[in-house]
Amino acid sequence: MKIVILGSGRGSNAEAILRAQAAGQLGSGRVVQVFTDKPETGILAHGKKFGVAATFLDPGPFKTKFDEAGEQRYIDEISKLTPDLVVLAGFMRILKPRFIDAFAGKIINLHPSLLPSFPGLDGIGQAWRRGVKYTGCTVHFVTAEVDGGPIIDQAAVRIESSDTLESLEAKVHAAEHEILPAVIARLSLR
Ligand code: GAR
């Protein structure tokens, strides 16, 4: 199962996937390329460390969406790799139907809350401010509804009275690093 990872930031989830692959824990999954829409991100170093091509791909001038040329660039470059799975690992850009249709049923996203609670930006901060006692993370298929596609798996994290926003972030990220590679491994064995 050929996998392309898209990310925008630290890349800790891309690293978790690549680490699982190196440890033989990604089923038949094989990451062939990591793309980032930000030129200076940690995710580039993670690709390099694990010997997987990791490159910046210009998304166009907007911050949270593609312009038409950027969207086409992503569709073209990803299509060339004929992936079976496109993993959004912290890719902070809204995808429009043209992109989603190009890889229909093959795009999964990681979100840092128990969807359908707290979709959108800053899922961990939203849960923290709302005072819920459990939050967590969700892996779901991507559809045109933002953070609304079919849920594949979730992991719950309890918010203790001793937690701070920082400790909660660390717990959610740790849960993400477990669940995302595990979901990919399972999908690869379907
Ligand atoms: C992760 O917490 C992921 O759930 C979140 O971005 C972070 C990326 O971290 N994604 C979203 O909020 C998507 N709406 P990373 O760059 O260290 O993998």
Side-chain angles (χ1 to χ4, degrees), residues 112-188:
S113 76
L114 293 175
L115 290 171
S117 293
F118 312 122
L121 288 177
D122 192 20
I124 303 175
Q126 289 187 60
W128 175 253
R129 288 187 293 277
R130 184 64 183 80
V132 294
K133 299 303 172 201
Y134 283 91
T135 185
C137 52
T138 302
V139 183
H140 65 92
F141 284 109
V142 172
T143 61
E145 187 190 344
V146 176
D147 296 332
I151 290 171
I152 305 168
D153 204 0
Q154 296 185 302
V157 164
R158 182 166 165 78
I159 303 178
E160 307 287 353
S161 54
S162 55
D163 270 320
T164 61
L165 176 57
E166 289 69 33
S167 69
L168 177 61
E169 282 169 349
K171 289 201 294 196
V172 173
H173 291 316
E176 290 182 326
H177 299 161
E178 294 282 321
I179 196 176
L180 185 55
V183 163
I184 294 171
R186 285 207 307 275
L187 290 176
S188 82

Side-chain angles (χ1 to χ4, degrees), residues 59-156:
F62 305 125
K63 250 186 139 171
T64 57
K65 60 177 184 180
F66 289 124
D67 70 342
E68 213 166 291
E71 180 180 63
Q72 194 59 53
R73 209 162 19 249
Y74 271 74
I75 291 174
D76 290 346
E77 291 304 313
I78 296 170
S79 298
K80 274 186 210 163
L81 298 162
T82 60
D84 303 294
L85 194 68
V86 177
V87 179
L88 308 182
F91 192 63
M92 304 307 279
R93 216 163 267 276
I94 305 278
L95 301 175
K96 287 189 259 179
R98 196 157 72 100
F99 182 95
I100 295 168
D101 291 348
F103 308 103
K106 295 181 179 173
I107 312 174
I108 64 172
N109 180 47
L110 172 68
H111 184 78
S113 76
L114 293 175
L115 290 171
S117 293
F118 312 122
L121 288 177
D122 192 20
I124 303 175
Q126 289 187 60
W128 175 253
R129 288 187 293 277
R130 184 64 183 80
V132 294
K133 299 303 172 201
Y134 283 91
T135 185
C137 52
T138 302
V139 183
H140 65 92
F141 284 109
V142 172
T143 61
E145 187 190 344
V146 176
D147 296 332
I151 290 171
I152 305 168
D153 204 0
Q154 296 185 302

